[in-house]
Amino acid sequence: MKQLVVKKTFLLAAICASTLVLQAQKGAQEKANFVHIKAGESSAEILRKAANIVPTPRQLRWQQLELTAFFHFGVNTFTGKEWGTGKEDPQTFNPTALDADQWVRVAKEAGIRQVILTAKHHDGFCLWPTATTKHSVASSPWKEGKGDVVKEVAAACKKYNIGFGIYLSPWDMNAPVYGTDAYNDFFMEQLTELLTQYGRVDEVWFDGANGEGPNGKKQVYDFGRWYAHIRKLQPEAVIAIMGPDVRWVGTETGYGRETEWSVVPADNLDQDAVAASSQQGVAFKPQGDMRGDDLGSRQKINNAKGLVWYPAETDVSIRPGWFYHTKEDSLVKTPQKLLDIYYSSVGRNGVLLLNIPPDGRGLVHEADVAAMQGWKALRDATFNNNLAKGAAITSVNGVRPAALLDDNYATYWTTKGSDTTAVIELDLKGTKTFDVLMLQEQISVGQRIESFVLEYQSGGQWMKATEGSTVGYKRLLRFDAVTANKVRLRITASRLQPTLAAFGLYKQAAQ
Ligand code: FUL
């Protein structure tokens, strides 16, 4: 009898343990940043899968940066070109007062949280003293060939505690081996140098441009090998935009889509590709329509072979060109234009990658510095005062309403049970005038909200202030100013229970 009890207890424990393992496995599966869709799956099942896809930790860290910057700098800075030829004499590279500390300080003071340096652009000139080619700063007059721009920028990023990334152009107009297999090894060596000699690297940026080598052949890039190498040497780095982690938004204007899904279909999510990936994240560049207007609607995901978390990076230059040209000093974007770009990139579930190209002295030009400062001042004047703060929140079918206003992204409001619609009412404790709405979903649960309306009470009636579709990591909407003491947010459609980690109402500063 005793034995039987022991056996029974053992059996029960074993069943419990295996259930836990199964649950954990299911949990781990649901926490992945991709999912395979089998033929014949129902729309409801596909929707549930889409709503449970989450960013990898490196993607989540990157998304939360919101503002990142590019430094395009190289021989083009001195020749006045946008694209070089690869035949430039390294003697042309001669900044007279290069101060990487100033570049990073200007960026940091404007709220930028990570920068990416063009370690090598298409012309092949390397901003670090590489052992792979003589076509580098080591052959230039700058610091008598003893300088290293990559090292100086990396050190400044450490000093100012912001992220550091590198742009390494796959296209190389200078390398004699370009166009042959040997180039892929050459590129691996360049990656090894950059990823082992400068401390932590947070982003590796690959452009898709691909020209012909001296042999008249287009290079076949061995991206798979490069990605694996980056993962090994810098596992926290995101690989953009010819890479698995970050997608190009599709324009260089600074304006993203109003409906921006971070979960998009991937045509190449077959079993083999998935097998090569880790449990949580894909290790290859998702293929499919990444440029259209609608990337992730219900209709799009219903026809998908697989779904992946592949968020948008919105790149744009503060000047017409990517490199500095004196003749563009009067064409630097105004603080007002940069503000509009902010609303249309960060405010549309994207990360902004704003290029600030240092000039021939090796400094961010005064005009660009002024624009950056003006832009920051405009943002602060609006966003430093959340007019919803202190409101009394009622959300009949919701839980944790206080999380909406606690300035803590980790905590979030959600609905009870499985409700996919909700009403959140805020008594603003006095009459407030506002014209900006800010919402943030908790994306480590998934991206779910499909439509919402903001209403305000006027004369006992609910009137519409604004409405939108997706939210994602952050959504900002501007509308004609309204004055009210009560507002309500109605979430009118969501893929599963919606979440909100933050809610804000603001009044735009006079420009
Ligand atoms: C493009 C390049 O060809 C430009 O020169 C620039 O670097 C931009 C960010 O990417 O495709």
Side-chain angles (χ1 to χ4, degrees):
M1 183 68 187
K2 207 176 162 206
Q3 242 188 356
L4 202 69
V5 172
V6 171
K7 265 190 191 157
K8 254 190 174 168
T9 319
F10 178 76
L11 206 69
L12 253 172
I15 291 169
C16 284
S18 58
T19 316
L20 277 180
V21 169
L22 275 177
Q23 272 169 0
Q25 275 172 354
K26 199 169 169 236
Q29 255 169 26
E30 300 212 326
K31 283 261 170 284
N33 89 334
F34 63 93
V35 73
H36 190 248
I37 293 178
K38 296 176 222 74
E41 279 190 73
S42 71
S43 303
E45 178 59 9
I46 294 172
L47 203 62
R48 196 191 65 79
K49 282 186 166 183
N52 279 311
I53 293 177
V54 295
T56 57
R58 65 173 84 84
Q59 287 176 316
L60 181 61
R61 176 198 165 273
W62 171 84
Q63 188 83 49
Q64 293 187 273
L65 296 169
E66 299 192 7
L67 298 175
T68 63
F70 247 153
F71 293 133
H72 272 69
F73 190 65
V75 285
N76 298 338
T77 311
F78 302 89
T79 58
K81 291 196 172 140
E82 273 295 300
W83 278 11
T85 60
K87 298 196 168 55
E88 290 80 11
D89 185 339
Q91 295 288 318
T92 57
F93 183 86
N94 194 13
T96 48
L98 190 143
D99 182 3
D101 198 276
Q102 185 251 7
W103 308 2
V104 175
R105 192 176 64 243
V106 167
K108 168 101 184 190
E109 285 173 0
I112 301 285
R113 315 230 351 246
Q114 182 155 302
V115 303
I116 301 173
L117 170 69
T118 53
K120 178 183 86 170
H121 203 252
H122 309 329
D123 52 68
F125 183 78
C126 298
L127 294 184
W128 79 104
T130 172
T132 60
T133 172
K134 288 200 160 40
H135 200 57
S136 82
V137 282
S139 309
S140 81
W142 177 60
K143 292 194 169 176
E144 296 173 337
K146 304 267 184 309
D148 185 339
V149 188
V150 176
K151 190 172 170 188
E152 296 196 16
V153 174
C157 288
K158 226 164 257 131
K159 175 175 163 187
Y160 290 102
N161 192 26
I162 71 175
F164 170 66
I166 51 157
Y167 172 117
L168 188 67
S169 170
W171 186 18
D172 188 322
M173 302 179 186
N174 180 269
V177 290
Y178 187 85
T180 72
D181 284 348
Y183 178 75
N184 286 315
D185 300 333
F186 170 93
F187 198 85
M188 284 284 278
E189 283 173 45
Q190 295 198 328
L191 277 174
T192 305
E193 291 180 355
L194 290 167
L195 302 178
T196 59
Q197 294 173 8
Y198 301 98
R200 185 180 155 125
V201 175
D202 299 288
E203 183 160 353
V204 179
W205 212 93
F206 291 144
D207 184 63
N210 183 347
E212 288 172 1
N215 59 0
K217 287 200 178 140
K218 271 200 175 175
Q219 180 69 40
V220 179
Y221 299 137
D222 196 351
F223 278 121
R225 186 149 67 109
W226 303 346
Y227 300 158
H229 200 49
I230 298 166
R231 288 287 195 252
K232 197 172 111 213
L233 298 177
Q234 296 281 348
E236 308 304 322
V238 289
I239 311 174
I241 53 170
M242 289 299 291
D245 305 316
V246 170
R247 152 173 69 88
W248 183 42
V249 76
T251 80
E252 290 179 345
T253 60
Y255 291 77
R257 295 172 190 77
E258 297 218 26
T259 298
E260 187 63 80
W261 286 103
S262 293
V263 173
V264 294
D267 300 339
N268 56 337
L269 259 161
D270 54 49
Q271 295 294 12
D272 289 350
V274 169
S277 303
S278 77
Q279 255 205 323
Q280 269 90 38
V282 296
F284 51 89
K285 184 181 186 310
Q287 303 292 332
D289 174 15
M290 303 294 169
R291 302 279 302 274
D293 287 339
D294 171 14
L295 299 187
S297 67
R298 289 189 186 208
Q299 193 201 344
K300 289 278 169 178
I301 63 173
N302 264 336
N303 299 319
K305 294 182 182 146
L307 298 170
V308 64
W309 187 275
Y310 200 35
E313 180 175 70
T314 311
D315 64 338
V316 63
S317 183
I318 197 166
R319 290 163 169 259
W322 289 101
F323 284 87
Y324 174 86
H325 310 297
T326 307
K327 62 174 192 293
E328 293 180 353
D329 284 351
S330 60
L331 301 174
V332 173
K333 291 186 172 59
T334 61
Q336 290 73 17
K337 176 70 180 171
L338 293 174
L339 183 68
D340 199 41
I341 286 174
Y342 174 75
Y343 279 108
S344 310
S345 53
V346 175
R348 290 181 181 173
N349 190 28
V351 169
L352 176 63
L353 175 54
L354 177 66
N355 180 56
I356 331 163
D359 63 18
R361 294 170 301 174
L363 294 171
V364 177
H365 189 271
E366 291 75 357
D368 308 55
V369 173
M372 295 291 282
Q373 289 172 344
W375 178 47
K376 173 72 161 61
L378 284 178
R379 280 170 17 237
D380 285 351
T382 298
F383 293 105
N384 281 356
N385 187 16
N386 185 352
L387 297 161
K389 267 281 153 69
I393 310 175
T394 332
S395 121
V396 178
N397 66 338
V399 296
R400 295 189 301 273
L404 293 166
L405 297 172
D406 69 358
D407 288 327
N408 178 3
Y409 184 69
T411 60
Y412 60 92
W413 162 96
T414 187
T415 53
K416 287 179 191 157
S418 55
D419 286 3
T420 53
T421 59
V423 182
I424 302 169
E425 197 174 308
L426 291 92
D427 178 341
L428 301 174
K429 304 271 166 160
T431 304
K432 306 274 166 73
T433 300
F434 47 89
D435 55 11
V436 178
L437 169 68
M438 187 275 295
L439 297 174
Q440 290 193 279
E441 269 179 273
Q442 175 46 262
I443 57 170
S444 51
V445 173
Q447 186 185 351
R448 298 175 168 189
I449 296 174
E450 295 179 304
S451 61
F452 62 88
V453 188
L454 179 74
E455 294 168 330
Y456 63 99
Q457 212 175 52
S458 170
Q461 296 268 345
W462 287 107
M463 316 279 285
K464 183 167 79 185
T466 188
E467 64 189 326
S469 51
T470 47
V471 175
Y473 176 70
K474 187 173 262 192
R475 189 69 209 266
L476 295 170
L477 281 168
R478 289 168 289 181
F479 46 90
D480 292 339
V482 298
T483 301
N485 55 21
K486 266 194 184 155
V487 296
R488 70 179 185 192
L489 181 77
R490 288 196 296 118
I491 295 176
T492 45
S494 178
R495 291 180 171 183
L496 281 181
Q497 301 97 299
T499 71
L500 281 177
F503 178 96
L505 293 175
Y506 306 91
K507 176 73 190 72
Q508 292 176 72
Q511 296 188 16

